[in-house]
Amino acid sequence: MKFFIRSFLLIQFLFTFSFLKGQSSLIDSLFHTDSLRHIVEVLASDSLKGRFTGTTESLKAADFIADEFKKAGLSPVAGNNGYFQEIKSSWFNVIGEIRGKSKPEQVIIFSAHYDHIGSINTNPHPEFGGQAEAERGDTIYNGANDDASGVSAVISLAKYFKALNNNERTLVFVAFTGEELGLLGSKYFVADCEPDSIIAVINIEMIGRGQFSNSNPFVTGYEKSDLIDILNRNYRSVSREKSKKGFLKVDINTSELLFSRSDNYSFAVKGFPAHTIMVTSASDKYYHNLNDETKTLDFNLMKKVIRAIAIGTSGLITGKDTPRRIKSAF
Ligand SMILES: [Zn+2]
């Protein structure tokens, strides 16, 4: 019996180790700075004029994301028009999924918003920065960090999880519209969801520019559920990181109220464990600024953050981990 238990543990260890090793090399082969850069360059190009919700350029951005979802091998979600969920005329969330093998009714969401604040011509915001650039003729709020960086993460994670092909739960990948106008895309999305269907929401915002000395990603509303402890625990098991605190840090910018300022909030008010993973806060000098351009992003940093999310969510994907629901009143 002892021998049997020992052999069993050894086999289990070897299995886990080879699985994690395989997972790790798949990550390295799928997450390239070049492909992240390509996605950001397209979305943040001047030709998309700052992706203001409802514009022709915003529809072009949605088409591009839908194409990427198709290339990743995602399926459209029933009830939508292909990858598009229409909110009203010319307003679309872009959504694709990988159905879960044994627990398809349990959903993990990976999201980011693809809309931004347009240009000085279409959407004048005298309070926003970049006056000198405006005088030099730059009028477009490109939104490379906010939030083309997050969309590039969602697309890359879709490709990764499709290739990994071990999700027991259903994985839903969403690029929201209308975030900058008051989280409107995510509010519409969540109104349509079954009350107990969503196990966790990983929203990704502004991961392309280090703002503080260590550039570690932080998580908004860290203390409101145990989702982040779960992600850090999974991350530590693969990376052998020594730090007890893990790779994902507590949000120290609490006065900025970031937890309630991105699409995670639409889910959190319904009790779903929903947080935003960020690197840059709203006090960044390029936030909602004409200078939020592709050339200001650090693609190695983005790759590192996306890799951590891929590893950190492994227990959510396989159905091993279930985070606590958020119950505090807002
Ligand atoms: Zn944003």
Side-chain angles (χ1 to χ4, degrees):
M1 189 65 187
K2 241 183 190 168
F3 172 75
F4 172 76
I5 291 171
R6 250 189 241 144
S7 328
F8 177 74
L9 288 174
L10 179 68
I11 289 164
Q12 199 182 36
F13 171 77
L14 288 173
F15 176 78
T16 309
F17 183 71
S18 61
F19 166 71
L20 293 174
K21 216 169 158 253
Q23 185 191 25
S24 208
S25 55
L26 183 61
I27 286 173
D28 292 333
S29 70
L30 278 173
F31 296 156
H32 282 296
T33 53
D34 287 351
S35 49
L36 297 174
R37 180 188 296 277
H38 170 69
I39 295 165
V40 172
E41 269 173 356
V42 171
L43 292 173
S45 66
D46 281 353
S47 67
L48 291 191
K49 296 183 182 167
R51 309 183 302 279
F52 193 71
T53 300
T55 59
T56 313
E57 291 78 18
S58 152
L59 297 181
K60 282 185 192 160
D63 276 341
F64 170 75
I65 296 162
D67 253 17
E68 290 292 315
F69 279 0
K70 191 174 181 187
K71 276 193 246 165
L74 299 189
S75 309
V77 172
N80 292 340
N81 183 6
Y83 294 106
F84 302 105
Q85 179 183 45
E86 183 168 7
I87 297 169
K88 56 182 178 176
S89 176
S90 299
W91 286 42
F92 297 97
N93 290 328
V94 190
I95 310 170
E97 69 172 13
I98 310 171
R99 294 292 288 172
K101 293 176 195 300
S102 60
K103 299 173 179 171
E105 72 291 352
Q106 299 183 9
V107 173
I108 309 292
I109 293 177
F110 294 90
S111 63
H113 70 91
Y114 73 92
D115 67 305
H116 196 50
I117 56 175
S119 71
I120 283 181
N121 302 330
T122 57
N123 185 33
H125 286 277
E127 74 277 22
F128 294 161
Q131 196 54 41
E133 287 65 34
E135 282 162 15
R136 280 198 287 272
D138 182 2
T139 58
I140 296 166
Y141 295 104
N142 301 75
N145 198 28
D146 185 10
D147 187 23
S149 69
V151 175
S152 78
V154 170
I155 292 170
S156 307
L157 289 165
K159 288 178 184 163
Y160 165 72
F161 285 120
K162 184 71 187 177
L164 195 62
N165 190 30
N166 73 340
N167 55 301
E168 300 299 333
R169 287 177 170 146
T170 294
L171 313 184
V172 175
F173 301 86
V174 192
F176 289 117
T177 192
E179 193 267 0
E180 301 286 4
L181 300 176
L183 317 180
L184 299 181
S186 53
K187 279 180 189 162
Y188 185 91
F189 179 98
V190 81
D192 225 20
C193 292
E194 295 288 328
D196 295 321
S197 57
I198 302 171
I199 302 296
V201 179
I202 315 288
N203 189 54
I204 307 166
E205 270 261 24
M206 304 202 288
I207 57 167
R209 201 157 43 237
Q211 187 184 5
F212 307 108
S213 55
N214 59 12
S215 298
N216 265 103
F218 60 87
V219 182
T220 66
Y222 191 99
E223 73 293 347
K224 293 185 189 298
S225 83
D226 56 350
L227 178 65
I228 305 314
D229 296 331
I230 289 171
L231 300 190
N232 273 332
R233 193 171 63 235
N234 281 292
Y235 179 74
R236 277 198 303 269
S237 71
V238 173
S239 68
R240 300 199 185 89
E241 189 189 283
K242 297 278 190 307
S243 158
K244 276 214 168 78
K245 288 182 178 155
F247 183 67
L248 299 165
K249 304 296 183 193
V250 176
D251 174 17
I252 54 165
N253 317 282
T254 43
S255 62
E256 295 182 31
L257 305 173
L258 297 170
F259 181 71
S260 58
R261 287 172 65 183
S262 191
D263 289 310
N264 66 289
Y265 192 66
S266 303
F267 297 89
V269 291
K270 304 266 179 190
F272 299 123
H275 300 262
T276 296
I277 296 176
M278 315 178 74
V279 175
T280 327
S281 89
S283 64
D284 174 55
K285 61 179 175 177
Y286 293 155
Y287 173 71
H288 285 193
N289 185 292
L290 293 166
N291 282 316
D292 183 4
E293 310 227 19
T294 306
K295 65 182 178 215
T296 69
L297 300 197
D298 177 346
F299 288 94
N300 282 312
L301 169 65
M302 282 169 58
K303 183 178 158 181
K304 209 167 99 180
V305 175
I306 298 166
R307 187 178 185 280
I309 295 172
I311 298 169
T313 52
S314 54
L316 295 173
I317 303 317
T318 57
K320 178 171 69 77
D321 298 323
T322 301
R324 227 173 36 230
R325 286 171 67 88
I326 288 178
K327 55 175 183 293
S328 57
F330 292 93

